[in-house]
Amino acid sequence: IHDGHNCGAALIIDGEVVAAVNEERLSRNKNDSGYPRQSIDEVLKIGGVQAVDLNHVVFASNFMHTKAHLEEISLWYPVGIKEQKADQSRPKEYARQLFEIRRKERIEESVNHLGIEIEKVEFVEHHRAHLTAAYYTAPTLNPGKKILGLTCDGAGDNLCATVSICKDNNIDRISKTDRHASLGKIYSRVTYLMGMTPWEHEYKVMGLAPYSDPKYAHAAAEPLRGLLRVSHDGLSFILNSEVSTNYCYETLRDAYERERFDNMAGGVQLFTEEILVEWIRGCIAHTGITDIVCGGGVFMNVKANMCIAALPEVTSMYVMPSAGDESLSIGAALDSYYRATKDTNFSKSIIKNLYLGADKAEEEKNVIDRAKSSKGFNVFKPQDMSMSIAELLSKGEIVAVCRGRMEWGARALGNRSILCAANDFRRINEINNMIKMRDFWMPFAPSIIEERASEYFNDPKNIHPKFMTFAFNVIEGREQDLAAASHPKDHTIRPQIVSIDSNPDYHSILSKYLNITGHGVILNTSFNLHGEPIVYGAKDAFRVLELSGLRHLALNNFIISKNL
């Protein structure tokens, strides 16, 4: 259970991730926080498990703030050195009492909800859960092989970064960084300063960064260099001034007064890339381990991940899909499983795909009946669904897809996606006007059929990005093929490689689209109204079709189209 920001639950059975759902998909409250009651019920339902059958109920994070605290950040985000000194004078007994109160509340909520024995309730430290989510799901683990485990985020359980040596079932933490020296907090404070929403819109800052002139971005990074640096041993972050990153908002506000918005974005992105590269180089130099796994929200930054993967010191790199706090529930449950069983066969916990939600097939009939009874819609049941979708895409149509099990995490991966041709730049405005209303500078992302991936980008470290966790440069000469699904300024992409194994239905659409058009790539963006979570089932999908400018919905075995 993760009961913080973007809360959710995961179910592990015999080491396999059977189900994982974020509360937002059920509550329809984007990035919902607090105890994820609906998600817990949902993953148990998907797994066919009764609460009485559970061996362990595991909370990610030893301490978690209340829902109200997490949702009222304006009360404690824009602070400075005055508040820092006031908080430093607060008795330590206050923090201890708050910890005990929250621990008791969390235990009681789960025991009352699930009807389980109190002895079954456990807690896993925040950064341990981030690491185990990455380590135990990585595809590159071999018995006896040492892996360098890295976590980096805003903060959790008083830490913001850790370094561990992982081998089989042993995880040896060799370094940790106190929450006051947080790279993630700097990025989120800049996000807040720019008028965006922390813990949600950092990706917008990253998307804006390439528009900054490198000269001005370098200058804008200088105030950040004055806040934080890498330690001399290369293993942690340390403060460069008396200002804690928890209280750096006023410092940043003063430093960036009248600074252009694009330069602020360019500065914080450049600083993030610089300091992460220096840190990881230091960790590799210290340990001699060149295979790395990464977890925590900072590793949601696909541009920084691209810089890290390009380092000659890095042999292999795996980033936990959707590495923010939503991944904590998976990591906590896996940690508990492997601690209890001492199992060293990690093959079953490798994440082969992220289709970990329900298919909500029970909603389809009512939606189809409703669409058939409406004069505004045409309902068609094709013999070959993949071919029908591919043909629509090849004719320039935009198609929303809600098929099969819902994908877990921040990225739509073909089952709850909006799809269109990737080679026509005009599609960006069309999609934005229809439904997305994305900021004008933000790029869309491509899904690329596995057999043709090497034609569009180079992957020298064999990352094989199935989950949109890395950025890549488009191969020179292929920019036009990705005109609508790449960054307009620097021509980078955040690709999803689609294989038959990971999603046979989606692969079939891409394969047939390739046969028709000669292109092995399409634009893929999440299926949701602006400001709402990704749709879950047929009911959500049809509602979005009704309320938006979308014309086509591929719903499992049917295509619903609006009559013009």
Side-chain angles (χ1 to χ4, degrees):
I1 299 169
H2 166 54
D3 57 341
H5 171 75
N6 204 357
C7 59
L11 177 68
I12 311 298
I13 300 179
D14 295 332
E16 180 184 354
V17 185
V18 171
V21 176
N22 291 339
E23 190 80 356
E24 65 166 18
R25 306 294 169 87
L26 296 154
S27 69
R28 308 310 300 162
N29 178 22
K30 191 171 177 64
N31 290 323
D32 208 351
S33 58
Y35 183 76
R37 179 178 291 263
Q38 294 182 77
S39 297
I40 294 168
D41 292 341
E42 184 77 352
V43 296
L44 293 177
K45 180 181 176 182
I46 293 169
V49 172
Q50 300 294 318
V52 68
D53 299 322
L54 295 169
N55 298 106
H56 307 271
V57 173
V58 195
F59 279 93
S61 305
N62 290 320
F63 173 80
M64 186 55 63
H65 286 289
T66 62
K67 179 181 178 73
H69 180 86
L70 293 169
E71 293 180 348
E72 290 292 337
I73 66 169
S74 62
L75 300 178
W76 52 271
Y77 233 63
V79 294
I81 194 71
K82 178 182 176 182
E83 289 82 3
Q84 178 178 331
K85 290 178 178 178
D87 285 349
Q88 286 171 341
S89 65
R90 181 177 289 165
K92 291 185 178 179
E93 182 66 14
Y94 171 82
R96 190 189 68 78
Q97 289 179 355
L98 181 61
F99 177 90
E100 292 300 330
I101 290 169
R102 287 293 297 135
R103 188 180 186 90
K104 183 180 178 182
E105 288 174 346
R106 297 165 81 197
I107 292 171
E108 287 181 350
E109 190 147 28
S110 61
V111 168
N112 292 337
H113 173 207
L114 295 169
I116 56 170
E117 300 91 343
I118 196 170
E119 292 77 21
K120 288 186 177 182
V121 182
E122 304 172 7
F123 294 84
V124 173
E125 189 234 35
H126 186 96
H127 279 263
R128 171 92 182 190
H130 269 317
L131 177 56
T132 50
Y135 178 58
Y136 289 129
T137 64
T140 53
L141 297 190
N142 293 311
K145 183 178 182 180
K146 286 185 177 180
I147 300 290
L148 183 61
L150 304 166
T151 66
C152 190
D153 66 2
D157 285 339
N158 291 317
L159 300 178
C160 67
T162 66
V163 182
S164 302
I165 297 174
C166 310
K167 180 181 176 183
D168 295 332
N169 243 322
N170 299 311
I171 296 176
D172 178 22
R173 181 179 291 175
I174 63 171
S175 177
K176 59 185 179 181
T177 298
D178 181 87
R179 69 188 179 94
H180 290 288
S182 170
L183 175 61
K185 285 185 182 294
I186 291 175
Y187 209 109
S188 66
R189 264 62 178 182
V190 173
T191 302
Y192 191 69
L193 182 62
M194 293 179 69
M196 302 185 205
T197 305
W199 312 343
E200 181 179 343
H201 291 161
E202 282 79 3
Y203 76 98
K204 294 187 178 185
V205 177
M206 180 184 67
L208 180 60
Y211 292 96
S212 175
D213 185 304
K215 176 177 65 175
Y216 298 124
H218 184 79
E222 198 57 32
L224 309 180
R225 298 183 184 111
L227 287 173
L228 197 68
R229 63 181 172 86
V230 176
S231 61
H232 291 303
D233 64 5
L235 294 178
S236 60
F237 306 116
I238 57 176
L239 291 174
N240 249 349
S241 75
E242 67 171 333
V243 180
S244 160
T245 53
N246 290 303
Y247 303 90
C248 69
Y249 178 83
E250 290 184 357
T251 301
L252 294 173
R253 183 195 62 196
D254 294 344
Y256 286 133
E257 186 174 6
R258 293 197 49 75
E259 181 65 75
R260 274 177 57 116
F261 63 96
D262 53 344
N263 295 335
M264 289 170 61
V268 72
Q269 180 63 27
L270 175 62
F271 173 71
T272 298
E273 293 170 4
E274 286 177 348
I275 202 166
L276 279 177
V277 163
E278 183 182 355
W279 176 52
I280 289 170
R281 274 188 158 150
C283 294
I284 291 173
H286 186 91
T287 63
I289 302 171
T290 61
D291 297 289
I292 64 176
V293 299
C294 310
V298 169
F299 289 107
M300 292 285 281
N301 193 309
V302 296
K303 289 292 190 68
N305 293 346
M306 180 173 73
C307 295
I308 296 164
L311 291 173
E313 296 95 328
V314 173
T315 301
S316 70
M317 180 178 180
Y318 170 74
V319 173
M320 175 63 190
S322 208
D325 282 359
E326 60 270 24
S327 67
L328 289 170
S329 58
I330 292 175
L334 286 174
D335 183 71
S336 177
Y337 171 79
Y338 282 112
R339 282 188 195 230
T341 63
K342 308 299 182 186
D343 194 353
T344 57
N345 175 15
F346 305 130
S347 61
K348 52 193 169 297
S349 59
I350 294 171
I351 290 183
K352 299 176 180 63
N353 64 67
L354 294 181
Y355 308 106
L356 300 172
D359 60 14
K360 291 289 183 183
E362 70 277 8
E363 295 183 358
E364 182 179 300
K365 185 180 185 303
N366 286 340
V367 167
I368 294 301
D369 289 346
R370 183 177 164 192
K372 285 180 176 178
S373 65
S374 171
K375 294 180 179 179
F377 297 97
N378 176 56
V379 179
F380 172 58
K381 186 175 184 179
Q383 289 186 325
D384 187 334
M385 189 69 171
S386 296
M387 178 58 78
S388 293
I389 295 171
E391 287 176 343
L392 283 170
L393 296 174
S394 70
K395 295 173 183 176
E397 297 289 344
I398 295 168
V399 182
V401 174
C402 180
R403 301 176 72 203
R405 292 183 67 178
M406 182 198 66
E407 48 267 73
W408 166 85
R411 310 288 180 228
L413 299 171
N415 282 12
R416 302 293 186 275
S417 292
I418 296 170
L419 310 177
C420 75
N423 61 338
D424 188 344
F425 190 77
R426 294 172 298 179
R427 294 287 171 262
I428 294 175
N429 280 338
E430 193 173 348
I431 292 176
N432 277 331
N433 290 336
M434 272 186 175
I435 181 171
K436 297 296 288 187
M437 292 180 279
R438 286 164 71 100
D439 298 296
F440 65 89
W441 66 83
M442 289 302 298
F444 288 105
S447 292
I448 304 175
I449 194 166
E450 182 181 37
E451 292 81 355
R452 293 296 183 94
S454 61
E455 297 179 12
Y456 298 102
F457 68 95
N458 292 319
D459 184 16
K461 298 293 174 71
N462 196 29
I463 288 169
H464 200 72
K466 295 191 294 184
F467 306 125
M468 293 187 173
T469 48
F470 289 83
F472 293 85
N473 291 309
V474 176
I475 289 177
E476 190 173 349
R478 302 310 295 265
E479 293 89 353
Q480 180 54 47
D481 292 342
L482 293 143
S486 59
H487 199 290
K489 182 66 176 178
D490 64 11
H491 302 298
T492 55
I493 54 174
R494 188 192 69 209
Q496 174 199 6
I497 299 304
V498 182
S499 65
I500 294 177
D501 291 340
S502 65
N503 192 330
D505 288 337
Y506 196 25
H507 184 273
S508 178
I509 294 170
L510 279 160
S511 178
K512 290 177 167 75
Y513 181 78
L514 172 63
N515 291 338
I516 296 169
T517 67
H519 297 292
V521 55
I522 57 176
L523 182 153
N524 167 15
T525 189
S526 58
F527 185 6
N528 60 282
L529 289 170
H530 182 71
E532 292 190 2
I534 297 173
V535 302
Y536 196 165
K539 187 168 62 175
D540 293 338
F542 189 65
R543 170 181 170 270
V544 173
L545 180 68
E546 287 182 303
L547 295 177
S548 70
L550 288 169
R551 290 185 53 215
H552 304 286
L553 169 60
L555 180 62
N556 292 323
N557 300 309
F558 295 87
I559 292 179
I560 305 172
S561 296
K562 288 178 179 174
N563 295 323
L564 296 179

